[in-house]
């Protein structure tokens, strides 16, 4: 049962991710991105990470993708030429991406030879309780946590500064 | 489930995101492909966290999601600023820094 759920979820994830990068309309892309993130949350449920599931659904699906849709609706889509959505160098780009995938897969399968990180053992269940995450966040990881708050503040200020309307030139023509 | 299944899905999604970044011309879809790559990394972190039985991976996933939110906010602000000046979100038109 778990295997069936896993394979159907991963198939849907890969399908929707391919649709994200191949859709012509950015709105369709954003909708497919929502689907990908939701199915990814399903995989997190399989991995016993309930808190991460909540954060994923609330922050990613409810926050970030809605931000994307908001910006897409701010931009007038009519003027974007739709004749060619791909770069000139797309065959080379696809080959380079597949080369990276082969590299990563090689190191995942043969990583024991180089790093000795894997043991052939089953995964441990019930490690992602929310209380343990909270204890870790406010215990040994409290300094990165504070840095994250500063980062978010900087992002807010930066976004406001960047998207402000440019002020008209006040210099009188002489 | 073995961890290799999750790592395989993560690798495939990361590759799709990378190809999307390299191939598309619409900057909105490039940013969405970046989100795909960050999600692949998150899946890796959660899977390894369960392999080793700790909670560190979950903490790092929370930080990655924080960085993704900040990146989306600043990146979309840059997109709006560029659109105001150039009337375009095609990445080929953003060539001011090109020599």
């Amino acid at each position: 049962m778990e295997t069936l759920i896993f394979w159907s979820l991963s198939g849907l994830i890969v399908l929707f991710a391919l649709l994200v990068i191949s859709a012509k309309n950015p709105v369709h892309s954003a909708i497919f991105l929502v689907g990908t993130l939701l199915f990814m949350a399903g995989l997190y449920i399989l991995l016993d990470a309930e808190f991460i599931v909540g954060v994923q659904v609330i922050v990613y699906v409810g926050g970030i993708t809605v931000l994307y849709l908001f910006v897409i609706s701010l931009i007038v889509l009519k003027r974007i030429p739709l004749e060619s959505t791909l770069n000139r160098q797309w065959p080379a780009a696809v080959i380079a991406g597949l080369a990276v995938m082969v590299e990563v897969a090689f190191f995942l399968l043969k990583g024991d030879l180089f790093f000795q990180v894997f043991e052939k053992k089953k995964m441990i269940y019930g490690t992602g309780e929310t209380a343990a995450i909270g204890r870790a966040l406010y215990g040994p990881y409290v300094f990165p946590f504070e840095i994250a708050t500063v980062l978010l503040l900087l992002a807010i200020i930066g976004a406001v500064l960047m998207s402000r309307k440019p002020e008209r030139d006040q210099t009188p023509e002489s | 489930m073995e961890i290799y299944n999750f790592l395989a899905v993560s690798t495939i999604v990361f590759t799709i995101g990378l190809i999307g970044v390299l191939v598309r011309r619409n900057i909105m879809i490039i940013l969405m492909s970046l989100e795909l790559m960050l999600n692949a990394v998150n899946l890796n972190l959660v899977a390894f966290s369960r392999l080793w039985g700790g909670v560190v991976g979950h903490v790092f996933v929370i930080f990655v999601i924080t960085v993704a939110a900040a990146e989306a906010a600043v990146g979309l602000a840059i997109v709006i600023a560029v659109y105001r000046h150039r009337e375009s979100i095609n990445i080929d038109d953003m060539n001011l820094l090109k020599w």
Side-chain angles (χ1 to χ4, degrees):
Chain A
M1 188 60 192
E2 198 188 334
T3 317
L4 179 68
I5 293 174
F6 172 80
W7 286 115
S8 47
L9 276 177
S10 9
L12 283 169
I13 285 173
V14 172
L15 173 70
F16 273 63
L18 282 173
L19 285 172
V20 167
I21 68 163
S22 62
K24 267 200 156 58
N25 194 337
V27 179
H28 299 167
S29 250
I31 301 297
F32 291 135
L33 184 66
V34 168
T36 312
L37 298 175
L38 284 177
F39 296 134
M40 200 74 97
L43 279 192
Y44 292 155
I45 292 176
L46 279 186
L47 283 168
D48 283 343
E50 295 90 5
F51 183 66
I52 302 298
V53 174
V55 171
Q56 172 102 351
V57 171
I58 292 172
V59 176
Y60 257 120
V61 180
I64 295 179
T65 33
V66 172
L67 190 64
Y68 277 102
L69 283 171
F70 202 73
V71 172
I72 290 170
S73 61
L74 276 180
I75 289 172
V76 187
L77 285 172
K78 290 284 186 294
R79 298 199 200 131
I80 299 163
L82 283 174
E83 66 267 19
S84 166
T85 56
L86 300 181
N87 267 329
R88 280 191 313 276
Q89 71 265 21
W90 71 268
V94 170
I95 290 169
L98 290 178
V100 169
M101 183 172 90
V102 169
E103 237 177 283
V104 174
F106 175 78
F107 274 103
L108 286 179
L109 290 177
K110 301 283 177 193
D112 291 339
L113 300 177
F114 303 101
F115 302 121
Q116 298 182 337
V117 288
F118 281 131
E119 293 169 19
K120 266 288 192 185
K121 63 180 182 185
K122 285 284 180 186
M123 292 198 261
I124 304 165
Y125 281 81
T127 55
E129 320 106 314
T130 311
I133 296 174
R135 273 194 298 273
L137 263 184
Y138 287 102
Y141 294 97
V142 68
F143 187 64
F145 187 70
E146 299 295 331
I147 297 289
T149 61
V150 177
L151 175 76
L152 282 177
L153 178 67
L154 283 178
I156 294 169
I157 295 172
V160 170
L161 267 182
M162 288 300 256
S163 57
R164 207 176 43 174
K165 260 210 187 335
E167 301 186 1
R168 294 275 151 258
D169 266 344
Q170 303 286 335
T171 52
E173 51 268 62
S174 58
Chain B
M1 300 298 311
E2 290 284 335
I3 187 175
Y4 288 101
N5 304 103
F6 292 98
L7 296 187
V9 176
S10 166
T11 309
I12 292 171
V13 174
F14 187 86
T15 311
I16 291 172
L18 180 63
I19 291 176
V21 169
L22 291 175
V23 155
R24 293 302 299 253
R25 299 168 89 193
N26 190 332
I27 193 167
M28 300 298 300
I29 297 178
I30 288 176
L31 286 173
M32 288 178 209
S33 307
L34 279 180
E35 302 290 337
L36 278 182
M37 292 164 80
L38 287 169
N39 256 281
V41 172
N42 283 350
L43 184 60
N44 248 348
L45 285 170
V46 174
F48 272 114
S49 175
R50 207 174 98 176
L51 179 74
W52 293 104
V55 83
V56 185
H58 296 78
V59 174
F60 271 87
V61 167
I62 291 169
F63 289 143
V64 169
I65 289 176
T66 311
V67 172
E71 169 251 327
V74 177
L76 292 173
I78 290 174
V79 169
I80 290 180
V82 170
Y83 179 75
R84 241 185 230 133
H85 283 282
R86 297 238 151 176
E87 300 279 315
S88 160
I89 57 170
N90 189 337
I91 197 98
D92 289 342
D93 292 339
M94 303 175 190
N95 51 6
L96 274 182
L97 284 179
K98 221 162 144 188
W99 54 282

